[in-house]
Amino acid sequence: MHINPDHFLQTERGRVISPELNRRAWALSMEALRGAMKRRNEATNLYILVGAQGAGKTTWLRSNADRLGSDAAVFDAILVKKSERQPLLDIAVAHDVPVIAVWLDTPLEICLLRNAKRPVDEIVPDRAIRNVHAAIEPPTIEEGFSSVHRVVA
């Protein structure tokens, strides 16, 4: 299962973003995660993708989906701060699901270049990417992850 708040922002006209719609997208994403954890089995792992916009999170998932297996749940969002990741970890731990961090450690310049190549409705302001990139707190085992995989672009 691939959970990404951006999916809940898609409309027939493309991605539409507002503070209210963003809050709703995150609430729906968390609901989807809770549902996935309730349907877990002994082979289920939760993968939390960490990285700035344009870091390659969704591309990494597409490239590794077969290896992760059909029982995997993947939360695909920037999640660069420990405080943003903690609620996801709490949900998984409450369901005895191992959580694996995949940190896409991508240079800022690459994130900005990739962002510029996105469809117009998916382009993020450069300033936002710069702010998010500067705020990255690398995930750690001490946070509660069963493992952390650093992917350097």
Side-chain angles (χ1 to χ4, degrees):
M1 170 174 246
H2 180 200
I3 303 166
N4 183 328
D6 289 344
H7 295 165
F8 295 102
L9 298 170
Q10 289 300 129
T11 70
E12 291 177 6
R13 299 181 319 266
R15 190 176 296 169
V16 177
I17 301 172
S18 72
E20 180 181 330
L21 291 173
N22 195 48
R23 279 190 298 278
R24 182 175 182 274
W26 273 92
L28 291 169
S29 295
M30 295 303 283
E31 183 180 314
L33 177 61
R34 286 185 195 92
M37 295 299 98
K38 287 178 184 173
R39 294 185 302 277
R40 88 232 177 265
N41 61 45
E42 57 280 344
T44 302
N45 289 306
L46 172 61
Y47 293 83
I48 295 180
L49 306 185
V50 177
Q53 305 92 322
K57 296 177 299 295
T58 303
T59 300
W60 181 90
L61 175 57
R62 284 187 201 118
S63 298
N64 290 280
D66 289 341
R67 185 180 61 79
L68 301 181
S70 60
D71 296 315
V74 180
F75 205 101
D76 175 3
I78 58 175
L79 301 167
V80 297
K81 294 193 166 281
K82 292 177 185 178
S83 61
E84 297 166 342
R85 299 186 291 260
Q86 194 59 56
L88 285 70
L89 283 157
D90 292 345
I91 291 168
V93 168
H95 291 89
D96 295 318
V97 173
V99 187
I100 300 156
V102 179
W103 173 29
L104 286 292
D105 186 9
T106 306
L108 174 60
E109 287 68 31
I110 293 175
C111 293
L112 293 169
L113 287 171
R114 289 176 178 165
N115 180 61
K117 294 178 182 178
R118 290 178 167 176
V120 173
D121 64 311
E122 295 179 18
I123 292 177
V124 177
D126 283 0
R127 180 84 174 136
I129 295 173
R130 289 177 190 283
N131 290 342
V132 168
H133 199 276
I136 293 172
E137 297 173 0
T140 64
I141 296 292
E142 292 74 28
E143 250 180 278
F145 291 105
S146 51
S147 63
V148 175
H149 301 279
R150 182 178 177 206
V151 179
V152 180

